[in-house]
Amino acid sequence: MKDCIFCKIISGEINTAFLYEDEICVAFKDKNPKAKTHLLILPKKHIASVAVMNEGDEQTIGHLVKCAKEIAENLNLPGYKLQINVGRDGGQEVFHIHIHLLSNYG
Ligand code: AMP
Ligand code: ZN
């Protein structure tokens, strides 16, 4: 998607180190961390928001949650929060769906 900063990160147009990547998603560090560990996990497919999910996207979102769990385990995080902001009034700034993985550990 043109003009989407996260699509540019996924395509490599904006150079960003991935902590995790598979055929469906990538994970990288948030550039403005709000916790000791603050990662973003997002699909390679451009889905703007939970508010505009289509039929079938729940599988993709479920995969993101599974990857968040595995990343947290690999980082030995004893506890963490997963957050999805939905819509401008929900605090969403980047309209390419993503899960924040936040932990005071790590
Ligand atoms: P949200 O408010 O849920 O849309 O979250 C967007 C997040 O993306 C914010 O926490 C930003 O700090 C983060 N962010 C924006 N641009 C980048 C970037 N180029 N690399 C890493 N994180 C970014
Ligand atoms: Zn995008």
Side-chain angles (χ1 to χ4, degrees):
M1 173 71 76
K2 200 167 144 299
D3 297 334
C4 170
I5 190 165
F6 285 176
C7 282
K8 287 180 180 172
I9 287 174
I10 289 159
S11 71
E13 190 179 335
I14 296 174
N15 192 35
T16 303
F18 294 155
L19 277 78
Y20 176 82
E21 178 177 14
D22 64 23
E23 65 282 3
I24 296 168
C25 71
V26 298
F28 51 84
K29 288 184 180 173
D30 194 292
K31 72 167 184 190
N32 183 21
K34 293 169 188 72
K36 192 169 176 202
T37 297
H38 187 174
L39 308 180
L40 301 175
I41 301 146
L42 48 135
K44 290 182 172 175
K45 177 186 175 188
H46 181 92
I47 302 167
S49 173
V50 165
V52 296
M53 276 172 64
N54 285 316
E55 198 70 35
D57 286 341
E58 67 273 16
Q59 289 197 1
T60 304
I61 307 310
H63 182 78
L64 301 183
V65 173
K66 184 181 133 209
C67 289
K69 166 195 180 287
E70 289 172 1
I71 292 166
E73 284 171 0
N74 287 337
L75 294 174
N76 292 315
L77 301 176
Y80 53 93
K81 293 176 189 170
L82 299 179
Q83 182 175 324
I84 304 178
N85 297 327
V86 184
R88 278 204 201 286
D89 292 335
Q92 187 175 4
E93 292 172 4
V94 178
F95 282 77
H96 180 131
I97 204 166
H98 51 281
I99 298 181
H100 297 258
L101 191 165
L102 297 144
S103 180
N104 292 326
Y105 302 91

